[in-house]
Amino acid sequence: MAVPKQQAQTHGQIFDLVALIKNATSIIESYYLDSSLPTVPSLDCLVPHPLDSKFYEPACLRVVVTFKIPDILQEQPSGMDIKELGRKAGVNHEKLGRIMRLLATKHIFREGNKFLTSISIATPEGAKKGKLLGIGMRGLNTATQAASVVTDFPWGKFPPGTTVNDVGGGFGNIAMELIKAYPNLQLKLQDLPRCIHQAETQIWPKFLPSAIAEKRIEFKAMDFFVEPPIPGCDIYYLKSITHNWPDKECIRILRNIRAVLKPGARVLLHDYVIQHANHTDSSPLREAPKPMLPNYGAGRIRPYNLDLAMLVLFNSKQRTLEEFIDIAGKAGLEFVKLWPTGEMGVVELRSA
């Protein structure tokens, strides 16, 4: 019996997909067997998985953003009665209270006896939570394979004394790894004053005191919107900075760096690089084998989820390579190369 050509092609793709899945499961099972991790999870396991759908929280966030609830609460940081909050927002206070209670359960707002208030970095409690963010980034770096930049970018090719400025680097988690791996590098760490003070007086003395003793790290506070970084560095490295800001602000940050960029210096933007969901012949990104989607589909959903989070929280975005090149060009920089690093990528730029 003859099989139609289209049906035969589809049948072949299914076999290819099954083969990919079988190979992947074999790799996972081997990994579990060779590690100290528990046994392979059962198909009956009810423990939530990171890829499980979460519908309610984004919908609730949309409500509070639409009705400008955080803006209203800024008028009264000590908190506001839910009835007053509903009146100011022009929305049913009972329904609003139910929505905000869910968000308070996720620590986005705080519920008291009679009021709900947002957590702000401007409050003592917010400042305390802010101090934990940089430490928490160490764990996030592990989850996203961010430290792959240490091995996947050729830092070792640069001569002794090469200066790397970790711009907006928080506590300098990646800077620490670079210092430990490459004796040829001198690091500079720049961020807002509160963050730099904690990095210099608490974090580095605890985790890498030798770098301070050997004078391989320099700390200097800055606001990258209003001033340029330390001039004359060989490399300006920005990890997970551009995704926090719309294009206009990103261009301002990059222009401030461009103003102090010496000939031959590089700017490295380390972030997720959003991949298109269609196969192309010229993509610089790693593509999954057919019949899978080239961006690995749900297996690499994190950057697409994060893209929407950036949209909701900051009116910003995770960018495609074309979008990185666009903002760089408007800041007087030109694209050199894309370096894949784990889940993320490094966009290398130079003066145009």
Side-chain angles (χ1 to χ4, degrees), residues 37-337:
L37 295 172
T39 56
V40 179
S42 166
L43 295 177
D44 298 324
C45 179
L46 298 179
V47 177
H49 188 275
L51 298 181
D52 288 346
S53 297
K54 299 176 182 178
F55 300 106
Y56 300 110
E57 186 178 336
C60 291
L61 284 171
R62 180 179 180 184
V63 171
V64 299
V65 169
T66 299
F67 289 97
K68 296 181 170 58
I69 301 302
D71 297 324
I72 296 172
L73 287 172
Q74 285 295 327
E75 301 172 7
Q76 195 169 320
S78 60
M80 190 177 295
D81 183 89
I82 190 62
K83 290 183 180 179
E84 183 183 359
L85 187 57
R87 180 180 59 79
K88 286 179 174 288
V91 65
N92 182 289
H93 73 272
E94 182 183 358
K95 293 179 179 178
L96 177 62
R98 291 156 62 188
I99 288 169
M100 294 187 68
R101 187 166 293 116
L102 182 145
L103 296 176
T105 304
K106 302 302 288 288
H107 303 283
I108 296 172
F109 293 93
R110 185 174 67 242
E111 183 175 8
N113 292 330
K114 293 184 178 180
F115 55 84
L116 295 144
T117 180
S118 60
I119 302 294
S120 169
I121 194 67
T123 66
E125 182 178 352
K128 182 178 179 181
K129 289 180 179 292
K131 288 182 177 181
L132 297 175
L133 176 62
I135 298 173
M137 287 298 293
R138 294 173 67 90
L140 181 62
N141 286 344
T142 301
T144 59
Q145 301 173 301
S148 296
V149 70
V150 177
T151 55
D152 292 345
F153 185 79
W155 304 98
K157 75 174 184 179
F158 297 102
T162 295
T163 53
V164 180
N165 191 331
D166 191 353
V167 180
F171 294 154
N173 297 320
I174 297 297
M176 287 186 187
E177 301 304 317
L178 290 175
I179 283 181
K180 289 188 284 188
Y182 298 100
N184 58 316
L185 301 182
Q186 291 288 128
L187 271 292
K188 302 180 187 298
L189 181 63
Q190 297 199 259
D191 209 308
L192 293 172
R194 189 199 308 259
C195 187
I196 289 298
H197 176 74
Q198 189 179 358
E200 185 174 10
T201 61
Q202 298 178 34
I203 305 300
W204 283 71
K206 178 179 179 180
F207 291 103
L208 197 62
S210 61
I212 299 174
E214 297 168 5
K215 297 183 178 180
R216 294 189 59 200
I217 178 69
E218 177 184 351
F219 303 92
K220 186 176 182 181
M222 71 170 294
D223 181 341
F224 51 41
F225 286 122
V226 299
E227 58 188 312
I230 297 170
C233 297
D234 299 294
I235 298 172
Y236 293 88
Y237 169 73
L238 293 80
K239 178 188 172 292
S240 300
I241 299 297
T242 54
H243 76 173
N244 289 325
W245 305 101
D247 286 357
K248 181 180 178 181
E249 284 74 13
C250 287
I251 293 168
R252 188 189 310 171
I253 294 169
L254 294 177
R255 280 178 176 166
N256 282 337
I257 296 174
R258 174 65 181 84
V260 296
L261 208 61
K262 67 181 183 181
R266 292 290 190 265
V267 178
L268 304 181
L269 306 181
H270 185 196
D271 211 322
Y272 281 111
V273 180
I274 291 293
Q275 193 167 355
H276 298 290
N278 62 303
H279 286 278
T280 63
D281 295 329
S282 58
S283 174
L285 295 160
R286 298 189 187 107
E287 293 193 349
K290 295 179 179 180
M292 294 175 65
L293 290 173
N295 63 357
Y296 294 87
R300 284 196 178 171
I301 198 66
R302 195 193 327 256
Y304 303 90
N305 286 339
L306 190 56
D307 181 36
L308 292 185
M310 294 298 103
L311 172 64
V312 171
L313 296 173
F314 306 124
N315 190 32
S316 58
K317 62 171 74 173
Q318 297 294 152
R319 291 173 172 83
T320 63
L321 179 59
E322 295 87 350
E323 290 170 330
F324 274 114
I325 293 173
D326 179 63
I327 60 172
K330 292 175 180 175
L333 300 167
E334 66 178 13
F335 174 68
V336 177
K337 184 175 180 177

